[in-house]
Every structure is written in C-alpha cells, then in structure tokens.
Amino acid sequence: MLAAFNVKNPYQVRPAQLEKDSVPVVFHQDSHGTMRPLSSKYSPSAEATRILTKPFKNQTSPSMVFLLGCGNIALITQALELYKTLPIVIICRDTKLLDLIRPYLPKTLVKNRTAAQPPLFYMFSDLIETAAASNVSAPAIRSEIEPTHHKEAIPTLTPQFRENLAIIFKHHSTQHIRFHSNPKEVANDPIFYEAIQSAITIEQEEKSINRATFRRFEKLWFRNLIKNTAAIIDAVPLTQLLAVMKGYPVVIAGAAPSLEADIPFLKRYQNNVLVIAVDTAYAVLLKHGISCDLVVSIDPQKTNAKYLEAIASTHTQKTILVAEPSISHHGMRKFPRIFMFDNFSPYYAYLTGFFTPKGNIKVGGSVATVAFEIVKHANPSAVALAGIDLAYSREAYHLSGAFHEEKWFSEINRLDTFQTRLFSIMNSKDVVPIRSRNDQIVYTDAAMELYKRWFEENCNNLSFPVVHTSTRAQPIKGIPYLALSDFFTQHAPISAHKDNFRENAYQLCQKHQLTAGSGAKDFLKRKNLFNQATQSLIDRLQSYHDTGKGAATIIKTFLKHPNRAKSPNLLKKLDTFNSRLQHPSIEKEFTAIVMQRALYDISDTTFTKNTASDHPGANSPTDTSNSTYTAHQQKNIDQEAKIRLEKALLLYKEVMNASNLCIRYLKIID
C-alpha cells in the first residue's frame, strides 16, 4: 500500500531498497523540490534497531518512552514490540505525516494499547492528538504548537499541550523517561524538538516537585486544616478585599538578598504604594521601619509560623494577613484581621457547607506567586517585584535579618560555619549556573525554574505594568527591569492615600463578623451543628476502615495458603469490597488526602509492570478456573495474580491507615 504523491502533501511512502519485505520508507519534499528520506532508504529496520539499542548514560529501566519524530515507521513498530507494557508517546511536527504513517502501524498492537485503561499509546502532531487506529478513540488533545513566523524562532507551546502532558503523567509513572529520536527528522527542525523535549522535562520535574511536596506535607495539611476549623469558618473571604485594593500601585516584597538594596527607597516612599510582604520578609521590613499593608502566608510548617508569631502585636494589629487555610495556627494568633482564599482539600470542601466560598487563587508553588496572583485579581495600577530573585547566590541564602539567617547565627560554630551551611544547601539542591540581569553568575534549580515559568505565563496581556527591580535576579521573559526608585517616579509619584484602604479593609472585617454571627449564641449553634456532622463523618470513616480491613484479611489469608479452586469465591468477595471502596463518597475523598504519597509510591514501583489500573477494583487476579493452560502458562498466570493481589493489599492497608488517621485528626477539633 503506497501513498500517491500530492503537491499539497509533501510526503510519499516507498518500499525500502534493500529489504525483501519492503519495509516502507517515508520521503519528504524539501524546499528545492527534492524528495529526501526521513529514515534510511536502504534498511530502516536496521537503523531503528541501532536507535533503540543505543546505550544511555542512565541505564535504569524506563517507565515511559517518547519517540521524537514519526518518519521511521520501523522505529515505531520496534518500539511497540520492545516496550510492551510501557506507555509510548509519539511527537510529530506535521499532522499530514502522522496521518500518512498511521495505516502502516501494527493494528493489533496499537488497538490493544489505545484500549488499555489508562491508554499506553499516544500520538501528537502540530494540530491534534489522535489514536493511531481510526476505529479506536483516544483522549482528545488539541493544538500543541502555535505557528511561528520566523524559522529560527523558538516555538511557543500552547497551554493545551502541557495540560495533555499533565493528563498522561497523572496516569503513568514518570520516574525515568527515555527519549528516542529519528535523527533525520529531528535534524530538519531541531528547535521544535528541543522545545518539546524541554516542555516534557519541565512537566516531569513539576510532577516530581509535587510528589516531594506531598511526601512532606500531606498529613500536615490535613492536621492544620482541622486545627484551623474555627478560623476558617470566621475568616473574611479574600474576594471582598480585592475590590478594596483596586487601582493602587503595589510593591510585592520577597525575601531574596536583593531586597536589601531596595529597602531605603521602599522606606522613603512606602506611603505611595501598597506594600505586600511575603511572610519571610515581614519581620525584616518592620525592623527597617516599613509598615506592611498585607502579609501573605501559605506554608503549613510550624517553623514557617515563627516568621509571624514573634512579631509584636502593635504591628500585627495594623497588618492584614492573607492566609492559605492550611498554614500553622501558631502564625495566625496575633492577627485580628485575616482574609483567606479557598483550599482544594476535600476537608475544606466539607467545611464550605458552613460558610460561603472565599475566592479561588492559583497557588503556583511559592508564596511570591500567590502574592502576585492576589494582586493580579485586584487590578492595580502598577506592580513592582522586589526581592524576588528566583535564583541562589553563593554569598547569601536569605535576606539579611530573616529568621533562618538569625537562627543559623545562633547555631554556627568553628566547625559548622555560615559558609559551610550555605555550601551544603546549595549542593543539595542540584543547582545549575545561569546569568543574572547584571551578567553575574547565580544559580537555579528545578523549583526556581518552575516559579519563573509561572510568572512568564501569568504576566501576559495584563492591563497594568509589571516590573522587576533586582539586577541580581534571574531574567523573567515579559517582565522588564526597572529600578525601584524609577518605579516610584514613573508609577507612584504621590501618596496613595492608604488610610482609605485600611479603613475600608477594617470595615469589611467588622461587617463580616456581624453577618457571620460571631455572637455567643450563634457560635454555639454553629458549633453544635458542626460537631454532629463531624461525628457522623467519623462513623462513616470507621465503616470505611472496616471494609478495607476485611478485604486485606481475605487477601493475606489467600497469599499464605493459595488455593486456585477458591479463586472465584475470592474474586466475588473482593468485588463486594471494591464496590464499597471505589464508590464516590466523602470517605473516599478524605482518605485520599493522606494517601497521596502511598499512591505515588505504589504506582511507581515494579507493580506497574502489569497493565492493571491503580484502583483496587482492577487488581483482582484473572479467573482461570474454567480454562485449560499448560503448566508454564498457569505459573505465569498465578504469578501475575500474586502481583496484583500484593498491590491490592498495599492499597487496602493504606485505606485502613488513612481512615484511622482521619478519625484521629477529626477527634481533635475544638
């Protein structure tokens, strides 16, 4: 089956010249009208074998495979056969080429992969993502690459492409991604494929960072939300504050070392702008006589609360705290005026039955990104980013006078100096050198690159100017440099009349307290209703725990004394448990809060070698009681059943542990 050449379609398929089975070779018409092969025209199969067997620096077995370029049909076919149980993603520059090679792919392999749950085969082109077989549906994925007008320009990846990567990465392990490239195709458009590979790597790092965050904070988030229940119910919605902030010039003060150079100007002209400080910079600004209008805090750690709890009440009485609901309650105690935004946690969703929504803010991973997101929704007249370097330096880690620096100075000694601590931290972060705005060497890592990308994506098409005031910072695309002194001259030359802002914000708090009914009778009424609902939830979680325990007991008994004759009965019992555990419910949502790390770990272990879903209901062994197999086949079936049962057992144990933990936390609500 050979495709006829069409002027509108510059591709053509011909048989290989030296292969008896006529393995197809794709030709492409270049700008001069010459037809050039996109793989070896003599032996594309041999070339594909060389590509797939090429040694890699990292010899770890891959968990996902990307093929860059689809012009070598033999390469795709051999990859499908080599990586039988791994997800394969094909990236192609041109939709016409993708449509052309689709009929030549092995239909059975492709159909099985696209029908799997989750799918194990994806194909991307410059316009759409489609299943390889026309009769098989795949997740709908739209345009990935926005057209570029200049050949050498770096292509811009549309948000849809990253969203679709996130969908794929959500269902598959990404610990070890392997790239195979079709050399001739990549050589024709290296900038495009470099941009694609960079986007994939960034998405992988983002998942890795999120996973590390879950490892550190999953249970702490839940515990803090429990502790903050009363404060969450009574906090003023952030949406009300945004209207009051509208039209003011704003300086967002981070805690990077470069803020020291801006402090004199900020102190002199502080009445001309709203000063919004991240929690790590708040105390330092107060020491220099700078009054902060807002302080933003999102970190759940108790250590982070020390930035706020040591502040004198004379200052906290004048400052508004904008808090993520899961921060440590120790950091909120001294602030009489607290505004909050919504949290994605199921427990927070449960609490929304007792108050109105407070406003949705994209966190972005950093307190600086949250501060900017808040300001963006307020529609200010201008914004200056001060002390937000998005880079590390060998001379300092934090702003001089910040809590961590003072803590270090109280702990260092002759053998454990400030420099050795800084050196150890820098080495542990896997940093890479880059050039700052003033052409000096600074360092960045995956987290800083993630924050930088967030700023670049969220600073487009704004109705107000945004500037970066630090020369020591990493350059951010779309945010120009402007000295803070010039910012005041150009965007905030006169007093901003902040007294009006503060008065309006204070009145919002008073009005909210009155409408929320913080009187003793109403508070007790709400508390009694909440306690009744919480006790009901505890009872449901206990039942959920018992269901998981029953399933785990059956599996453990079967694994100790395997009896193939009992397999159908085992499956029937497990189906009963699975229908209970998989059914959408608030118990399932609650236990998922504290099971994220376990689910990550289970999905990224060797158990993923089978094609079963990660959900407990898909982990039961195949019923083989009515089939006849050879001894070798039966051994393989028994081994696969054992692996699936062991994986299911881990999940059931996590259900038990998570249920117990949720119950224990709910019982400490005061």
Side-chain angles (χ1 to χ4, degrees), residues 3-21:
F5 181 70
N6 190 317
V7 176
K8 295 182 179 180
N9 187 351
Y11 299 99
Q12 194 177 65
V13 177
R14 303 173 183 172
Q17 295 184 12
L18 297 182
E19 296 200 67
K20 295 180 180 179
D21 57 350

Side-chain angles (χ1 to χ4, degrees), residues 278-315:
V278 303
D279 49 6
T280 45
Y282 182 43
V284 179
L285 293 173
L286 292 177
K287 289 178 183 177
H288 286 86
I290 299 173
S291 178
C292 300
D293 301 291
L294 273 74
V295 59
V296 181
S297 182
I298 66 168
D299 197 310
Q301 298 176 95
K302 186 176 179 180
T303 303
N304 212 70
K306 295 184 181 297
Y307 295 129
L308 304 176
E309 64 178 351
I311 305 298
S313 297
T314 52
H315 295 299

